Amino acid sequence: MRGPLAVLCLAVFVVMVDSTIVQVMVPDLVAMAGGSLEQALWAVNGFVLVYASLLVTAGRLGGRYGPRALLLAGLALFGLASLACGLAAEPWQVIAARLAQGAGGALIVPQSLTIIANAFPRDRRGMALGVVSTTMALAAVVGPLGGGLIVSTWGWRWAFLANVPICAVAILLVRALVPVAPPYRSAALDLVGVALVIGALAALTYALIGTAGNPAAFAVGGILTLVLFGWWERRHTHPLTPPRLFRDRAFVLAGWLGCAQFLVLSGLMLVISLHVRNVLGGSALDTALAFLPMAIAAGILSPLAGAITDRTGGRTVLTSGMLAMAAGVAGFAALTVRPAPLLVLAIPLAVVGCGVGLVMAPASAEAVSTLPPDLVPVASGVLNTGRQVAALLGIAVAGGALRAGSMLALTLLAGIAVLAAASGLLLRSRSRVLTT
């Protein structure tokens, strides 16, 4: 069991690092683009746009062709796209390669939950997901820190080229260690549903990250397309996202808690970044160090929270985690009234990290706890999509609230965490789940 889990951690790590490492390259990308900030931002946001748009489809494809095949395809595409990024001579080449990286990342990440569900019995899934969650938490910090070191030492190209040997090794390990799982469904893929969900998610994602055009129009278009997608799915014989998935109580509640966690965390990280840079006068490295207590606390608690969920269910763990996030956000807000040094801010931020560690793995474990095996691949895609969109929404919500002051933004984020904690009480206990 350890072999497949280690491979999944490596695959997820390289994607998560690459989604954050590019943020420290913006000045270099602007210089390459001849001073065009818009092109540099497309190199940053193009990855997010494609990644978020394809997660649902990638999860469904994992069910149709097998998660191992999709994982291999994603690693190959991600590695080749990273090579293209590192060798690019023109801005448009970097942008195109980053779009391909996003597609590769979307193929990789949803398969992790499916493979864990196949390889681990129910009473060990939480621990396995906790280990993967620890990897993701560390990647969030390693990206900016490692990226800054690589860019300053060898140049921005090597931040991409370093992915190539990692992907090559991961492909060999997947072929050697990850068992082949039979596909769950042989029905034809709903191509109309694929087109509608990709269009809807692309429009919604662009509405949250776009720097040109009319974001509000994209938001309206995305919502309308999503409604049309829902109408189509209810009438299709083999829908991309079966309606019975959303009739599962545990999936809906645990999925919402996972999304709420990402919304609060991403919004808080924006507030922290601005506070460290603008109020405390810190550097980009100081900002990365401010995130370190959260990553360490989350990394330590994620496997433990997963193990507890395996034994007793996730209701108490998830509720406690969201309350810890709310308390940490409130503590950070109190310490920003009279700006405190980074060392003091580490205390409430570590509390937030504890909350993240208590929520991340149990939310995934509970979401699939009562699902039949054939629904797990598409559930993984939906869960990861929801979290990605929630993270972008958190940035948008916090960014909008910051116009009225950081206290409003932090109060709003803490309130969302408290609301999520209250909804966590609606989850059924493990004893009831196992007997129903």
Side-chain angles (χ1 to χ4, degrees):
M1 296 294 185
R2 294 180 180 178
L5 186 58
V7 176
L8 291 176
C9 288
L10 181 62
V12 171
F13 183 83
V14 72
V15 176
M16 294 297 102
V17 165
D18 211 78
S19 67
T20 57
I21 198 173
V22 74
Q23 297 171 4
V24 303
M25 305 179 200
V26 172
D28 302 273
L29 296 175
V30 170
M32 182 192 185
S36 173
L37 178 60
E38 183 176 355
Q39 285 185 313
L41 290 177
W42 266 110
V44 175
N45 294 331
F47 177 97
V48 178
L49 182 66
V50 174
Y51 176 73
S53 303
L54 294 181
L55 283 168
V56 172
T57 302
R60 179 66 172 82
L61 290 173
R64 179 170 171 78
Y65 298 106
R68 182 177 182 268
L70 267 292
L71 181 59
L72 287 170
L75 285 167
L77 178 57
F78 196 88
L80 291 173
S82 297
L83 179 63
C85 280
L87 300 179
E90 299 290 339
W92 68 268
Q93 294 173 343
V94 177
I95 294 172
R98 284 286 290 169
L99 296 178
Q101 271 192 319
L107 292 176
I108 292 170
V109 173
Q111 314 315 324
S112 61
L113 178 56
T114 305
I115 291 173
I116 287 174
N118 288 333
F120 290 83
R122 180 182 296 181
D123 61 352
R124 294 183 61 191
R125 286 179 195 166
M127 173 63 80
L129 289 167
V131 173
V132 174
S133 298
T134 296
T135 303
M136 296 174 67
L138 294 177
V141 176
V142 170
L145 284 175
L149 179 62
I150 292 174
V151 170
S152 61
T153 305
W154 297 295
W156 65 270
R157 294 180 184 276
W158 284 100
F160 294 120
L161 294 174
N163 294 333
V164 179
I166 297 175
C167 289
V169 171
I171 288 173
L172 294 176
L173 292 176
V174 169
R175 293 180 64 87
L177 300 175
V178 177
V180 177
Y184 289 117
R185 302 177 69 110
S186 59
L189 193 64
D190 176 16
L191 296 180
V192 174
V194 168
L196 288 173
V197 75
I198 290 176
L201 292 173
L204 289 173
T205 303
Y206 186 80
L208 294 171
I209 66 174
T211 57
N214 187 346
F218 279 95
V220 172
I223 292 172
L224 292 177
T225 307
L226 201 60
V227 171
L228 180 60
F229 169 72
W231 175 85
W232 172 262
E233 290 289 276
R234 293 179 65 85
R235 285 155 179 78
H236 197 273
T237 306
H238 302 289
L240 186 67
T241 54
R244 61 193 174 109
L245 176 66
F246 300 97
R247 291 195 291 267
D248 187 276
R249 178 190 183 96
F251 174 80
V252 173
L253 286 173
W256 146 245
L257 286 164
C259 290
Q261 173 220 318
F262 272 73
L263 189 156
V264 173
L265 182 61
S266 63
L268 176 63
M269 291 177 71
L270 173 63
V271 177
I272 293 170
S273 299
L274 295 176
H275 182 77
V276 172
R277 298 299 296 272
N278 298 338
V279 178
L280 300 182
S283 63
L285 179 60
D286 292 325
T287 303
L289 290 174
F291 297 149
L292 191 58
M294 290 194 295
I296 293 175
I300 292 174
L301 280 185
S302 281
L304 178 61
I308 294 173
T309 300
D310 289 336
R311 287 173 171 266
T312 65
R315 180 170 62 182
T316 302
V317 179
L318 287 167
T319 301
S320 300
M322 294 308 305
L323 288 176
M325 290 189 71
V329 172
F332 178 82
L335 291 175
T336 58
V337 176
R338 294 182 178 179
L342 280 178
L343 190 60
V344 177
L345 292 177
I347 298 173
L349 295 182
V351 175
V352 173
C354 290
V356 172
L358 290 172
V359 173
M360 189 173 292
S364 296
E366 285 294 301
V368 300
S369 62
T370 57
L371 292 179
D374 65 305
L375 284 184
V376 173
V378 68
S380 180
V382 172
L383 287 172
N384 282 286
T385 300
R387 290 170 175 176
Q388 184 65 36
V389 173
L392 298 175
L393 183 61
I395 295 173
V397 168
L402 278 170
R403 297 174 183 175
S406 61
M407 191 58 65
L408 175 61
L410 292 169
T411 302
L412 185 59
L413 295 174
I416 293 173
V418 171
L419 177 63
S423 61
L425 295 173
L426 299 176
L427 280 167
R428 294 174 178 173
S429 65
R430 174 52 53 91
S431 60
R432 287 186 64 192
V433 168
L434 295 178
T435 57
T436 54

